[in-house]
Amino acid sequence: MTDETSADARAAEFRHKLVDELVAAGYITSAEVAAAFRAVPRHAFVLPGTPLDVAYNADNSVVTKTTEHGVAVSSVSAPFIQALMIEQAEIGPGMSVLEIGSGGYNAALLAEVVGPEGRVVSMDIDPEVTDRASTLLDATGYSNRVSVVWADAEHGAPDFGTFDAVIVTVGAWDIAPAWREQLAAKGRLVVPLRMNGVTRSIGFRRDNDHLVSTSAKVCGFVAMQGDGEHADRDLTLSDRRGRKVTLRFDDGAPDNPGLLDGVLAGERSQAWSGVTIKHGVSFADLHLWFACYLPGFCRMTVDDGTDLDRERGTWFPFAVVRGDSFAYLAVRPALGGGGVEFGAGAYGLHGPQAANAMVEQIQAWDRQARRGEPTFAYWPSGRHVDVPERTAVLEKRHGIVTISWPVAG
């Protein structure tokens, strides 16, 4: 056996192990998707020298390009989310698929799923990314099965007609009109949609003049560039030692951020909700509830050496600003050590009010939304929308997103 044959055999072992894991975890549910993951050599699409156990780790993305400041701008997404999104799109043999955000590997998977009678178009705004994807697809035998296009996907791929599925593999703040317009009548759109800083991979289908969700999963993606880009606003606070706490706003940043100057030098207050959760149980929908119903909601990061840095494990990176004060999601041991209680820590003259605002929403989530998953719809601008009960509305550039929570009962 030659060294090359031995290396290929070892890669195949990792590939089959990965598929078995994805099937067992429920990310792969169809035979076509399983066969695609067994066929496409993922290691050929990551950077040279990447260990096989890294390339084929089900949970990890592999960065393929960064900015001069080390910020990731292109990556091969984690296998679990790639499998999940292909399944969300309900892709099968003979279909046409538009992939927004190129890299090569995911396009090759799609080509395997749609087969020789299908069609895959992969777009990216970065010419280095599309050049690399074209080269790798050619090297792995997929160049005649995937059309790679260098363009801003905000404007779609008008030369290619309509598609049975559109899969967006970059974080999108809005749904571009072109994506809807190129979607076939019974087509599916899968998009990692950012909603006030919280992202879900949402599977949509057409329903007359709008889109309705068929599935939604927690995820995170590199942000979209180009005309569809949406910049966050950062508010940086300094503690007594000059170290930083950063509050990042997707929308609704404070009009007078100077009110928070010096806020970390004061005493901290706390409030507790009485709402508990067992260890290992997801509460990701609480974050989405905050994004819907907590004005001033933001995400929080902290520098090494801050008081909050030393207390990692007692808080989560979600916060709310109220004038000259802010609060953040905190937890403390509960349920005899088998879980935690939710609450809020806060800084500022009106910290108790900020903490109580967060606690009230924790309690509202517990009463109204904890025991069911929300559904989503997207309404293009200019449509009249009768918003049903228990539904949040988030305004976007090209339309609105509605998020409906199940009625408790």
Side-chain angles (χ1 to χ4, degrees), residues 19 22 33 45 49 54 93 95 107 129 138 175 183 186 190 224 244-245 288 293 353 373 386 393-395:
V19 176
L22 295 174
V33 176
F45 291 88
V54 174
M95 288 187 176
V129 171
D138 186 50
I175 294 176
L183 198 62
K186 295 183 179 181
V190 178
M224 181 168 289
K244 310 295 184 184
V245 170
L288 184 61
Y293 296 114
Q353 291 92 323
E373 296 182 354
D386 291 320
V393 176
L394 299 179
E395 294 187 3

Side-chain angles (χ1 to χ4, degrees), residues 27 80-81 84-85 87-90 189-193 195 198-205 212-221 282 284-285 288 372-377 401-405:
Y27 294 116
F80 86 89
I81 194 66
L84 176 68
M85 294 178 78
E87 296 285 15
Q88 281 185 293
E90 301 179 31
L189 168 67
V190 178
V191 55
L193 190 61
M195 297 165 286
V198 176
T199 302
R200 294 289 183 273
S201 174
I202 304 178
F204 285 109
R205 63 171 176 82
V212 297
S213 66
T214 56
S215 60
K217 302 295 181 181
V218 176
C219 67
F221 274 85
S282 173
D285 282 344
L288 184 61
E373 296 182 354
T375 56
F376 304 82
V401 177
T402 59
I403 306 170
S404 299
W405 301 82

Side-chain angles (χ1 to χ4, degrees), residues 4 29 36 40 66 96 115 147 169 185 225 247 254 301 315 358 367 371 378:
E4 183 176 353
T29 58
V40 181
T66 61
S96 58
S147 299
T169 63
Q225 304 174 56
L247 304 178
T301 60
W315 54 269
M358 179 167 274
R367 291 192 307 271
R371 292 157 187 86
Y378 185 89

Side-chain angles (χ1 to χ4, degrees), residues 71-385:
V71 178
V73 292
S74 185
S75 65
V76 180
S77 298
F80 86 89
I81 194 66
Q82 292 175 310
L84 176 68
M85 294 178 78
I86 296 172
E87 296 285 15
Q88 281 185 293
E90 301 179 31
I91 296 170
M95 288 187 176
S96 58
V97 184
L98 173 62
E99 179 196 36
I100 294 171
S102 195
Y105 175 64
N106 198 62
L109 292 173
L110 294 170
E112 287 285 348
V113 174
V114 302
E117 301 302 317
R119 177 171 60 113
V120 177
V121 178
S122 182
M123 299 184 70
D124 203 284
I125 195 172
D126 188 333
E128 291 185 10
V129 171
T130 53
D131 286 349
R132 181 176 185 274
S134 295
T135 298
L136 295 176
L137 287 164
D138 186 50
T140 51
Y142 291 96
S143 59
N144 63 338
R145 302 172 65 180
V146 178
S147 299
V148 179
V149 178
W150 169 38
D152 188 339
E154 176 76 2
H155 310 293
D159 294 340
F160 292 89
T162 60
F163 294 90
D164 298 306
V166 176
I167 298 183
V168 183
T169 63
V170 290
W173 189 81
D174 199 0
I175 294 176
W179 305 345
R180 292 184 293 100
E181 292 163 4
Q182 289 198 257
L183 198 62
K186 295 183 179 181
R188 294 289 190 268
L189 168 67
V190 178
V191 55
L193 190 61
R194 197 166 87 230
M195 297 165 286
N196 201 9
V198 176
T199 302
R200 294 289 183 273
S201 174
I202 304 178
F204 285 109
R205 63 171 176 82
R206 281 190 180 277
D207 187 355
N208 296 320
D209 63 348
H210 66 291
L211 303 170
V212 297
S213 66
T214 56
S215 60
K217 302 295 181 181
V218 176
C219 67
F221 274 85
V222 172
M224 181 168 289
Q225 304 174 56
D227 290 344
E229 182 178 1
H230 178 84
D232 291 333
R233 288 183 57 188
D234 287 354
L235 173 56
T236 301
L237 311 174
S238 297
D239 68 9
R240 287 165 287 192
R241 295 178 295 276
R243 297 181 176 91
K244 310 295 184 184
V245 170
T246 299
L247 304 178
R248 175 161 292 175
F249 296 85
D250 174 279
D251 196 9
D255 294 329
N256 190 356
L259 292 174
L260 287 163
D261 289 348
V263 68
L264 294 173
E267 295 298 318
R268 178 170 52 186
S269 55
Q270 291 181 315
W272 297 98
S273 67
V275 176
T276 60
I277 192 167
K278 293 179 180 179
H279 290 314
V281 176
S282 173
F283 54 94
D285 282 344
L286 173 59
H287 314 154
L288 184 61
W289 182 272
F290 286 159
C292 292
Y293 296 114
L294 191 59
F297 173 77
C298 56
R299 298 180 68 93
M300 180 176 74
T301 60
V302 303
D303 282 357
D304 293 343
T306 60
D307 290 340
L308 285 167
D309 172 53
R310 290 191 290 272
E311 298 170 7
R312 291 186 189 274
T314 68
W315 54 269
F316 288 88
F318 304 96
V320 59
V321 170
R322 287 287 190 273
D324 60 2
S325 306
F326 80 96
Y328 57 90
L329 180 62
V331 292
R332 66 181 179 183
L335 302 176
V340 296
E341 178 187 3
F342 294 116
Y347 286 93
L349 182 63
H350 296 92
Q353 291 92 323
N356 286 333
M358 179 167 274
V359 163
E360 287 172 2
Q361 291 305 326
I362 295 169
Q363 294 167 337
W365 166 77
D366 181 57
R367 291 192 307 271
Q368 301 176 26
R370 183 172 181 175
R371 292 157 187 86
E373 296 182 354
T375 56
F376 304 82
Y378 185 89
W379 303 80
S381 298
R383 307 310 197 266
H384 173 72
V385 183

Side-chain angles (χ1 to χ4, degrees), residues 21-39:
E21 291 173 358
L22 295 174
V23 170
Y27 294 116
I28 291 179
T29 58
S30 65
E32 292 87 357
V33 176
F37 272 83
R38 293 190 191 279

